[in-house]
Amino acid sequence: GQSLEQPSEVTAVEGAIVQINCTYQTSGFYGLSWYQQHDGGAPTFLSYNALDGLEETGRFSSFLSRSDSYGYLLLQELQMKDSASYFCAAHNDYKLSFGAGTTVTVRA
Amino acid sequence: SAVISQKPSRDICQRGTSLTIQCQVDSQVTMMFWYRQQPGQSLTLIATANQGSEATYESGFVIDKFPISRPNLTFSTLTVSNMSPEDSSIYLCSVQLRTGELFFGEGSRLTVL
């Protein structure tokens, strides 16, 4: 089966840096994605790592280590609008399996 | 990118009834995915809708409970049959681009009384 582990919640202040870790156990793995979901909204794509290493997209970066079955999402220069749930998702075969999600709360 | 229209956006249903959710995509896609998200929970894949063949269901989901249609490459429906309060959830339609990115519809929030 597929399983992904990520922290349930993180709280930080504006301007801070937050790292959300994700460990996975999945067969047929070929990549790790991250999604953001605001309350009442649909999940939206943030990043995708197919290869080991760091992918940077503006204030957000994502990292993957296949040998460790581990990845993380790094949120820099936190803003109030970054308060949301963040899901890691493992690509296997043709579909995605999602982690339980991490609720990030940004305080002023 | 992809634009996905899903309806109804929300509904309140009586126990024992069925509801069909529609999903329309602005481009042709091979596979469409139906997810369920219970309040405060993660996204769970219900099934993959393939055009021209039967849907592929994940463990714990069966066709009698969640029949799916896929008449063409831009449209799919999911029916939630014989609903109970445990079916109260958000149901999300999605498509995957070649880049691996998944686009979601806005979801259909169902409340079963």
Side-chain angles (χ1 to χ4, degrees):
Chain A
Q2 330 292 342
S3 73
L4 296 96
E5 298 285 333
Q6 56 181 125
S8 59
E9 55 186 81
V10 174
T11 300
V13 297
E14 274 187 297
I17 299 173
V18 161
Q19 179 172 316
I20 303 171
N21 298 321
C22 175
T23 58
Y24 60 87
Q25 287 186 317
T26 180
S27 58
F29 175 86
Y30 67 84
L32 192 71
S33 287
W34 290 89
Y35 287 79
Q36 179 191 60
Q37 185 178 32
H38 286 99
D39 265 353
T44 56
F45 172 81
L46 289 177
S47 69
Y48 171 59
N49 293 70
L51 303 175
D52 284 1
L54 191 68
E55 293 282 342
E56 297 180 81
T57 310
R59 294 187 297 113
F60 295 176
S61 304
S62 59
F63 173 83
L64 176 65
S65 169
R66 287 171 166 268
S67 59
D68 296 322
S69 298
Y70 163 77
Y72 67 73
L73 177 70
L74 194 69
L75 315 179
Q76 301 181 78
E77 300 172 22
L78 273 180
Q79 301 176 7
M80 297 298 288
K81 66 179 182 179
D82 298 329
S83 292
S85 293
Y86 293 82
F87 297 90
C88 59
H91 292 249
N92 46 78
D93 298 326
Y94 57 86
K95 55 192 178 182
L96 269 71
S97 301
F98 285 81
T102 300
T103 300
V104 173
T105 303
V106 182
R107 295 186 286 110
Chain B
S1 65
V3 177
I4 302 174
S5 301
Q6 200 176 323
K7 59 181 180 182
S9 57
R10 59 178 64 234
D11 207 340
I12 299 173
C13 308
Q14 295 299 317
R15 182 194 301 258
T17 63
S18 298
L19 181 78
T20 295
I21 302 167
Q22 299 181 5
C23 179
Q24 179 77 50
V25 188
D26 69 340
S27 58
Q28 294 185 337
V29 292
T30 305
M31 291 188 288
M32 295 174 73
F33 302 91
W34 287 98
Y35 284 86
R36 181 173 74 183
Q37 187 175 31
Q38 296 181 307
Q41 302 296 312
S42 185
L43 295 93
T44 301
L45 182 63
I46 298 171
T48 303
N50 310 298
Q51 197 271 332
S53 63
E54 282 197 6
T56 304
Y57 288 84
E58 298 301 304
S59 176
F61 298 95
V62 295
I63 188 171
D64 289 346
K65 176 68 176 177
F66 298 101
I68 287 172
S69 79
R70 183 79 199 274
N72 57 53
L73 291 174
T74 64
F75 186 78
S76 178
T77 68
L78 170 76
T79 299
V80 186
S81 303
N82 188 25
M83 286 185 284
S84 66
E86 291 72 34
D87 295 319
S88 296
S89 189
I90 300 172
Y91 293 84
L92 294 147
C93 167
S94 68
V95 300
Q96 189 170 26
L97 305 186
R98 288 179 186 175
T99 55
E101 180 177 350
L102 209 62
F103 275 92
F104 287 89
E106 288 302 311
S108 299
R109 185 183 296 268
L110 302 188
T111 302
V112 184
L113 304 178

